[in-house]
Amino acid sequence: MPGKRAAHGELEVGKTSLALPRQRGEPLPVPLTPLIGRWQEPEALAALLQRSEVRLLTVTGQAGVGKTRLALQAAARLAADFPDGLALLPLAGIQDPTLLLPTIAAHFRLGNRNTQPLLEQLQTYFQDKQLLLVLDNFEQLLPAAPLLAEVLFFSPQVKVLVTSRVALRLRGEQLLVVPPLAVPDLAQDPTREELLQNPSVQLLLGYVQRVDSSYQLTDEQLLALAQISTRVAGIPLALELAAGWLQTLSPQALIMRLQQHCLALLTRGSTDLPKHQQSMRQTIAWSYQLLSSQGQHLFHYLAVFAGSCSFEALEDVALAMGCSEQQVLDGLASLIEAHIVERQELQNGQSYLVLPDLLREYGLEVLTSTGRLLQVQLAHARYYLHLVDRIMPFGLQSSSQPDRLAEISQAYDNVRMALFWLLEQPEKSEQILHTSEMALRLCTSLSGFWYMSGHLSEGRQFLARALERAATVSISTHIIALTTAAFLALFQDDYEQCVLLCQEGLLLAQKENRPALSASVLYCWSWAEANRGHLPEATRLGEQALQLNASVENQIGRALCLYSLGFLSSLQAEYPQAVFQLEESLALFRKLEDVSSQANVLLCLAESLFAAQEDLPRIQELLEESQALPVTLANTIYPTNYLVLLGELALSQGDVLRARQQFTECLAAMTRMGDKRKIAVLSVRQAEAELCEHNYTEVEALCSASLSYYLKSKGYAWAALPLEVLARSHAVRQQGRKAASLWGQAQALREQFHFPLSARERAIFAAAEAEARASVGSDTFLEAWREGYHSGCAMLEDLAPTTNLAFQSGCTPPQPILPDHLTRREVEVLRHLAQGLTRAQIAHKLIISPLTVQSHIRSIYRKVGVSTRSAITRYALEQNLL
């Protein structure tokens, strides 16, 4: 309804006072500040308006992004294209959609005395006009949008430029979405020049320099400005509001406060701005109030996520809170249309929903006020527990399966948030029993991800906190969590903590008669002893684990135990047994269709044959078979071990250049992963290659680094490896006495820990020893060797209290080599066999499986060259073994 004249050239429409129209040719308002970071957008916007088919163009984007400023800039460039002028109508003060037409009519002085309907008056007025109508802040008037279409239908030369936080959803509407300003990627460590060229930083700096034109930024202040721009996501209004505090606070102090309470600080906007743009909270509240009820509810739920989530995650939480599937879809559509939520497409075809931090902070405030925050957070935690359980159902055993890390990695910020929340619930909370159990389950399922992605320290911290609350959880959950914590300690070479956790877990498992859980604990404990060089103890524990897994028909557990036992047998030079165990493990993994584990076992088989220097043609076959399996990057064990073996093969064939390349590549990969144990092993291999090139300085540096690691991590048996390469280095340089001393020290370690040389190492040792003996003479060589041996014994005696060894003082030089290259374990089996014990009795006495006994017997018969028990008894008597 037409209004009446008011004082000072205004027109009253209802209760709203509107400015009278700008006269034709009157210029648009000129902003007092330059447009920064939007050099291309005004040109693109003007070009769209110049296209004949574009009649209605809506500039849209999230709150505070600078839509009005951009629209004015583009419109000013097109003044000459519209003979009847440009008309700007600010609509922020109009809340009633029925006032849209009166507002437009008032601008063009229509409707005062005319009884014709306003729509018809506007259609008549515009039908021969050629002008640009700019409607600013349209979002609260969306129900009136169809009337605008009717005006345009009869006005072929009129174009309308609209700014709105949501699209008008009219046919023929052209959209232009305005993104926030670009922010610096601080993860890439940008230079000072790169920061100064960033539009968000330039905008902040511009505000600062308008207050103090002589303001000089230090590098620290510039970095803080970059952090501020990132914190507010490059939203121009937020940048302006943040800059207002730089008269009071330094950039460093401001970013610290913004990290804690962002919305509380983003206030005190310019007084010439509309009221709803004078603080970010008011700006966001304006958008929030325009949402549908479904959109508001979904906004609340999105606020508990860590900035982004999948649609499935949001839907699951919303359904848990009582929404229907259709309400979720409708609510999400309204959030996306209002540019509160952004949908981002991932390379794998999935899409993620992103809620900016400022909006998330507001959403949490509103959700907290409703009293439903705890319920939504619980639904969020339950979803991510189920997600991780589904993706990695076997925890650490899931880590070698292909294509599982990416999905966890994408969701990890939310998984971490859920875990923090579960662990922060008060001890006396009604939900403490539930959340403690959930926290431990989530930790155990995540363990494989932590291992493969390099989050071991974080994982151990989470597990330690969760285990503090374990008194209220189920026994099985408690034992599994202890075992998982032990494995993570093992992966970080914390063997003492690993064994303590294993002991605690084993006591619980045995007390509750849980053989499968006892097997898992023993399997972990076995690896800890192996890494410490306690090979017989590791074998005993592994065989116990194998028996328990067999008793409960745990095929995955059996396959893993056989793999580890095969590895241990190979280290102890029991090659026939190693091959038997590894082939049995391979058969089980094939049945389980675990291709990554198959690749690992095939490679271990090849390594055992190479160490034994037996069946060399089969090594290539095994390598080719492993390469044919679809092993992905999720399996970091296989690629490294594969390259190491290739390097060893190349070195044995005299191809030193290729060997160095393989070892160098592996060292670089392990350094990136931070795997110190692998680095120590690889350093010795690299030193062997450098020795072939006579790079003695490099040999000593690599061996010293490896030796230092083994001594620090208490893996004393493995320290023999760098000592022996150092000895070879001195032997080549005709320093036979020093070489002999180092070999003596290494032999003391090998004897104490039952860690024999491999067949390949014995061959290399024999040649180097002959060279060293020749350089100094046999007597001098033997004297130095004994000195080194006693030195090694003395070192071990000092270390005995910290190594869990039954070490006897008064260490003496080793006895002669056992006959026919029998191993110590094979001699034990032979003695019992000669005494008439059955295979089952031998297995019980030695605490090993009957299958292992059978493997030992086959190896004994082959080495000794007999095939009957009576012949074995006679052999034992002849060799003084009884």
Side-chain angles (χ1 to χ4, degrees):
M1 181 174 114
K4 61 182 181 179
R5 289 285 176 185
H8 307 295
E10 295 183 341
L11 180 71
E12 291 184 355
V13 181
K15 295 183 179 181
T16 303
S17 180
L18 303 173
L20 283 175
R22 183 174 289 101
Q23 298 298 319
R24 178 181 170 183
E26 184 179 344
L28 292 171
V30 178
L32 297 175
T33 57
L35 184 65
I36 295 177
R38 302 289 194 199
W39 300 283
Q40 297 179 354
E41 284 90 336
E43 292 289 347
L45 183 52
L48 281 173
L49 282 170
Q50 288 176 320
R51 289 164 52 179
S52 59
E53 70 274 16
V54 176
R55 301 278 312 287
L56 171 61
L57 176 57
T58 301
V59 179
T60 187
Q62 62 179 281
V65 81
K67 299 179 289 295
T68 299
R69 181 68 182 277
L70 181 58
L72 289 175
Q73 194 89 4
R77 298 186 183 198
L78 296 174
D81 293 355
F82 296 95
D84 294 308
L86 312 176
L88 170 65
L89 278 75
L91 303 176
I94 310 298
Q95 301 298 314
D96 185 352
T98 63
L99 295 179
L100 175 63
L101 291 185
T103 300
I104 299 173
H107 187 94
F108 292 99
R109 296 186 174 91
L110 303 176
N112 292 331
R113 295 185 177 87
N114 197 327
T115 58
Q116 186 182 19
L118 279 180
L119 178 60
E120 294 180 11
Q121 290 186 53
L122 289 170
Q123 289 171 336
T124 302
Y125 179 78
F126 287 136
Q127 66 182 354
D128 59 352
K129 295 294 188 292
Q130 190 174 353
L131 60 82
L132 175 64
L133 182 60
V134 182
L135 303 178
D136 188 33
N137 287 110
F138 198 94
E139 55 267 10
Q140 74 280 10
L141 305 176
L142 287 182
L147 295 175
L148 186 61
E150 291 192 47
V151 172
L152 282 173
F153 187 76
F154 290 96
S155 313
Q157 299 300 313
V158 172
K159 295 197 175 192
V160 178
L161 176 59
V162 176
T163 69
S164 174
R165 298 184 188 182
V166 293
L168 276 55
R169 300 176 66 183
L170 297 175
R171 287 181 297 175
E173 179 184 22
Q174 174 73 48
L175 292 178
L176 189 144
V177 179
V178 181
L181 292 174
V183 296
D185 185 356
L186 298 179
Q188 299 299 318
D189 194 21
T191 64
R192 179 182 179 88
E193 291 70 24
E194 289 171 335
L195 290 178
L196 289 172
Q197 292 172 6
N198 181 268
S200 294
V201 176
Q202 287 180 343
L203 191 61
L204 276 174
L205 189 55
Y207 287 123
V208 173
Q209 291 177 336
R210 279 196 294 277
V211 176
D212 182 0
S213 59
S214 62
Y215 189 81
Q216 296 294 322
L217 278 177
T218 65
D219 288 344
E220 291 76 17
Q221 290 171 328
L222 181 59
L223 178 60
L225 289 183
Q227 292 170 334
I228 292 168
S229 69
T230 302
R231 178 70 178 94
V232 301
I235 299 174
L237 177 60
L239 289 167
E240 179 180 350
L241 295 171
W245 288 102
L246 290 173
Q247 290 180 264
T248 307
L249 300 171
S250 69
Q252 296 95 317
L254 178 56
I255 184 56
M256 289 180 63
R257 292 174 181 270
L258 286 173
Q259 297 289 10
Q260 298 172 357
H261 306 290
C262 202
L263 288 179
L265 282 174
L266 298 181
T267 57
R268 303 171 62 194
S270 301
T271 56
D272 58 342
L273 287 172
K275 184 178 180 180
H276 70 269
Q277 291 184 350
Q278 293 184 6
S279 78
M280 279 307 298
R281 182 177 279 108
Q282 290 173 310
T283 299
I284 297 170
W286 172 278
S287 295
Y288 174 79
Q289 291 160 6
L290 295 175
L291 291 172
S292 64
S293 60
Q294 294 96 328
Q296 290 181 347
H297 287 147
L298 238 62
F299 186 15
H300 302 164
Y301 307 150
L302 270 167
V304 304
F305 290 89
S308 66
C309 67
S310 65
F311 171 75
E312 291 75 17
L314 176 61
E315 183 180 41
D316 189 271
V317 170
L319 293 176
M321 296 304 297
C323 293
S324 68
E325 292 183 1
Q326 190 58 48
Q327 287 174 328
V328 175
L329 289 173
D330 291 341
L332 181 59
S334 68
L335 289 173
I336 292 175
E337 288 175 354
H339 300 280
I340 290 175
V341 173
E342 179 185 357
R343 187 170 64 87
Q344 292 183 352
E345 295 291 336
L346 303 179
Q347 290 183 347
N348 59 7
Q350 295 181 338
S351 61
Y352 253 56
L353 306 173
V354 180
L355 182 69
D357 286 346
L358 292 176
L359 295 167
R360 180 173 177 270
E361 185 177 338
Y362 180 83
L364 280 174
E365 288 180 0
V366 178
L367 178 58
T368 303
S369 70
T370 67
R372 305 181 76 194
L373 176 61
L374 188 64
Q375 292 174 270
V376 182
Q377 287 174 320
L378 182 58
H380 172 272
R382 282 175 174 162
Y383 171 79
Y384 283 103
L385 172 60
H386 295 153
L387 176 73
V388 175
D389 275 346
R390 174 178 61 80
I391 298 172
M392 307 194 81
F394 305 113
L396 280 167
Q397 293 180 19
S398 304
S399 65
S400 63
Q401 297 301 312
D403 305 324
R404 287 184 172 171
L405 289 183
E407 194 170 353
I408 295 289
S409 184
Q410 288 170 3
Y412 189 59
D413 286 344
N414 278 299
V415 172
R416 184 193 280 123
M417 177 179 287
L419 197 45
F420 270 122
W421 180 81
L422 289 169
L423 294 172
E424 287 171 356
Q425 297 313 296
E427 289 289 341
K428 296 183 180 180
S429 167
E430 293 180 0
Q431 299 189 47
I432 185 62
L433 297 177
H434 192 56
T435 55
S436 295
E437 182 92 13
M438 288 174 66
L440 278 175
R441 282 178 54 201
L442 187 51
C443 284
T444 53
S445 294
L446 274 173
S447 56
F449 172 79
W450 285 332
Y451 168 59
M452 300 301 292
S453 62
H455 289 83
L456 281 174
S457 296
E458 179 177 285
R460 291 185 68 188
Q461 291 170 4
F462 273 131
L463 257 174
R465 287 184 60 189
L467 282 167
E468 290 173 0
R469 308 153 68 103
T472 60
V473 305
S474 67
I475 292 295
S476 60
T477 299
H478 191 183
I479 298 170
I480 292 170
L482 285 168
T483 308
T484 302
F487 268 113
L488 297 187
L490 171 68
F491 298 148
Q492 287 199 317
D493 307 327
D494 190 353
Y495 304 131
E496 291 182 359
Q497 181 65 18
C498 173
V499 171
L500 288 174
L501 289 164
C502 286
Q503 289 172 340
E504 184 180 354
L506 188 60
L507 284 173
L508 276 176
Q510 291 176 337
K511 180 181 178 181
E512 297 296 322
N513 192 26
R514 305 290 181 87
L517 296 179
S518 294
S520 295
V521 176
L522 289 166
Y523 175 73
C524 178
W525 194 345
S526 171
W527 276 111
E529 298 301 345
N531 285 1
R532 292 202 291 186
H534 305 167
L535 303 185
E537 178 67 7
T539 300
R540 184 183 67 81
L541 293 167
E543 288 173 339
Q544 289 181 12
L546 177 62
Q547 288 179 327
L548 289 171
N549 278 316
S551 70
V552 294
E553 299 183 354
N554 180 356
Q555 301 307 313
I556 293 178
R558 283 187 62 212
L560 289 169
C561 286
L562 285 165
Y563 169 62
S564 66
L565 286 170
F567 172 74
L568 289 167
S569 295
S570 181
L571 288 178
Q572 296 173 88
E574 298 174 350
Y575 301 116
Q577 182 177 352
V579 171
F580 174 79
Q581 291 164 329
L582 290 170
E583 286 180 340
E584 191 172 353
S585 173
L586 181 61
L588 287 171
F589 279 128
R590 281 173 174 158
K591 288 181 180 179
L592 295 167
E593 299 181 350
D594 185 341
V595 293
S596 289
S597 293
Q598 289 175 46
N600 292 336
V601 177
L602 286 166
L603 198 55
C604 192
L605 261 172
E607 291 168 341
S608 297
L609 294 175
F610 179 70
Q613 293 292 285
E614 295 178 356
D615 203 358
L616 297 182
R618 192 183 174 202
I619 295 175
Q620 189 60 39
E621 295 175 5
L622 291 168
L623 290 177
E624 290 174 359
E625 185 179 352
S626 69
Q627 281 286 286
L629 294 170
V631 180
T632 67
L633 291 176
N635 184 349
T636 59
I637 299 172
Y638 173 81
T640 304
N641 290 349
Y642 176 76
L643 289 175
V644 171
L645 183 54
L646 287 183
E648 291 177 336
L649 287 168
L651 199 59
S652 68
Q653 296 163 2
D655 191 347
V656 179
L657 178 60
R658 185 183 176 199
R660 292 175 69 189
Q661 289 173 341
Q662 304 287 14
F663 296 145
T664 300
E665 183 179 344
C666 290
L667 265 175
M670 291 301 100
T671 301
R672 288 192 298 270
M673 289 183 63
D675 191 331
K676 295 180 181 179
R677 187 172 183 278
K678 283 280 181 67
I679 292 170
V681 174
L682 286 164
S683 294
V684 175
R685 297 291 176 258
Q686 181 75 13
E688 288 184 295
E690 297 297 338
L691 180 57
C692 294
E693 295 292 296
H694 307 293
N695 296 327
Y696 303 120
T697 301
E698 189 68 18
V699 171
E700 293 198 9
L702 288 164
C703 289
S704 297
S706 178
L707 183 62
S708 175
Y709 164 79
Y710 287 129
L711 294 178
K712 184 177 180 180
S713 65
K714 300 180 181 179
Y716 301 115
W718 299 92
L721 302 174
L723 286 173
E724 287 160 351
V725 176
L726 277 173
R728 287 170 53 199
S729 173
H730 287 288
V732 171
R733 288 179 281 174
Q734 302 296 303
Q735 298 170 358
R737 185 174 184 85
K738 180 63 175 177
S741 177
L742 290 170
W743 270 319
Q745 289 184 47
Q747 184 63 24
L749 296 175
R750 288 190 178 276
E751 282 292 317
Q752 180 59 45
F753 291 98
H754 309 286
F755 189 14
L757 287 163
S758 69
R760 182 183 73 88
E761 289 167 332
R762 281 202 304 270
I764 296 172
F765 172 84
E769 180 187 7
E771 189 172 4
R773 281 179 182 273
S775 68
V776 296
S778 293
D779 291 342
T780 302
F781 180 91
L782 184 58
E783 179 186 359
W785 188 94
R786 286 173 177 165
E787 289 175 359
Y789 185 90
H790 285 293
S791 173
C793 288
M795 177 186 71
L796 287 170
E797 190 170 359
D798 292 339
L799 296 171
T802 64
T803 58
N804 292 337
L805 290 174
F807 192 91
Q808 301 297 322
S809 60
C811 186
T812 58
Q815 298 298 315
I817 297 175
L818 295 171
D820 294 307
H821 300 295
L822 292 172
T823 67
R824 291 180 180 276
R825 178 52 64 93
E826 286 171 346
V827 169
E828 290 177 340
V829 172
L830 186 151
R831 284 172 177 157
H832 292 307
L833 194 65
Q835 291 169 355
L837 273 64
T838 66
R839 292 171 187 172
Q841 290 170 330
I842 296 172
H844 178 74
K845 201 169 188 67
L846 298 180
I847 318 177
I848 58 179
S849 71
L851 284 174
T852 301
V853 173
Q854 177 62 26
S855 176
H856 280 307
I857 292 173
R858 283 200 301 268
S859 178
I860 292 167
Y861 284 168
R862 182 181 61 81
K863 290 180 179 180
V864 174
V866 299
S867 58
T868 64
R869 184 183 288 263
S870 59
I872 277 294
T873 303
R874 185 167 57 253
Y875 176 85
L877 290 170
E878 292 172 353
Q879 297 293 332
N880 297 316
L881 297 177
L882 292 177

